[in-house]
Amino acid sequence: MLIFNNMNYIGKNIRRLRQNKGWSQSQVAAQLKISVPAFSKIETGITDINISRLIQIAALFNVPTTGILAEDTGSPDIAKTNELNDIKAKLHDRDEEVNELQKRLINMYEEIRKR
């Protein structure tokens, strides 16, 4: 089993990802199916993290594992991932707007056709 040492920067990266999502420690712990104290120990670097937990956390935050492992907390991987997530959210919102406008257009067409 591969275990990563020096959890301080890894924990800080995980904390930053969690805070960027606006999630509490208890929300993340529930999604990882671990206790809040166990997750807190991961964030503070008290607990060593194994590769399977690292992969699970990376998947939860939709980032590459290297984004969590990067010692530079201003890592381009994390910044790019956050920017990409913001763009995805905006695109989703625009898709919703387009769908709503399409529905309205169809309804208007149906009303005109009935006349």
Side-chain angles (χ1 to χ4, degrees):
M1 171 170 50
L2 181 59
I3 297 182
F4 295 98
N5 294 318
N6 192 356
M7 296 295 105
N8 290 335
Y9 67 87
I10 293 173
K12 286 178 185 177
N13 289 343
I14 292 169
R15 182 180 309 117
R16 182 172 287 107
L17 289 167
R18 176 181 61 78
Q19 290 171 339
N20 286 344
K21 291 276 189 185
W23 294 344
S24 67
Q25 284 187 340
S26 60
Q27 289 173 309
V28 175
Q31 292 182 65
L32 296 174
K33 298 181 178 151
I34 61 175
S35 69
V36 175
F39 180 72
S40 178
K41 288 178 182 178
I42 289 171
E43 275 195 356
T44 57
I46 294 171
T47 299
D48 289 341
I49 186 170
N50 63 39
I51 189 70
S52 62
R53 181 69 70 200
L54 175 68
I55 292 169
Q56 184 185 21
I57 291 170
L60 176 65
F61 291 109
N62 195 29
V63 297
T65 54
T66 56
I68 295 173
L69 294 174
E71 192 162 358
D72 176 14
T73 56
S75 167
D77 286 342
I78 292 174
K80 285 181 183 178
T81 300
N82 291 337
E83 183 180 0
L84 181 59
N85 287 336
D86 289 343
I87 291 169
K88 284 180 182 178
K90 288 177 183 176
L91 182 58
H92 179 268
D93 291 345
R94 294 293 183 242
D95 283 343
E96 291 294 318
E97 286 179 38
V98 168
N99 288 338
E100 185 59 35
L101 288 171
Q102 286 175 336
K103 287 177 190 176
R104 289 174 57 190
L105 181 62
I106 290 169
N107 288 338
M108 290 172 71
Y109 176 77
E110 290 297 321
E111 286 179 25
I112 291 170
R113 208 175 99 200
K114 288 178 185 177
R115 293 180 187 177

